[in-house]
Amino acid sequence: MRGFGLIRAAAHTKLFNFASNAGSLVLFLAAGQAVWLIGFVMAACAMAGAWLGSHIAMRHGARVIRPLLILASLALTAKLIWDGFFAGT
């Protein structure tokens, strides 16, 4: 991301993710479709994951973050392929 190192780029994605979540909240509230319980659970899990991820990144650096990023990307790709393959069944 614009020449940033892996850790700094990952930190910036957190800001972008927060902004998209805030925008989504505004839209759901405007439409009267907010499901508060699910939203609070998701927010708590996101905060816990961000806290854990930042501590791992600060302690172990890119040598741990890079493989986790690749693993998460591969898992998401596999799920998208799986869902696309079985979407018609």
Side-chain angles (χ1 to χ4, degrees):
M1 182 176 155
R2 309 224 4 115
F4 292 144
L6 181 65
I7 301 299
R8 186 174 204 138
H12 280 85
T13 64
K14 302 304 178 221
L15 178 61
F16 296 139
N17 189 33
F18 176 78
S20 70
N21 288 342
S24 297
L25 177 61
V26 168
L27 290 175
F28 279 111
L29 287 174
Q33 298 293 318
V35 181
W36 292 103
L37 179 61
I38 293 173
F40 285 131
V41 170
M42 289 177 63
C45 290
M47 287 188 292
W51 181 86
L52 180 63
S54 66
H55 280 76
I56 290 172
M58 295 302 292
R59 176 171 286 168
H60 300 289
R63 69 180 174 89
V64 172
I65 298 300
R66 186 170 284 118
L68 288 175
L69 180 63
I70 292 169
L71 182 65
S73 297
L74 290 173
L76 181 59
T77 301
K79 183 186 181 330
L80 290 171
I81 291 170
W82 181 269
D83 288 349
F85 185 72
F86 291 107
T89 60

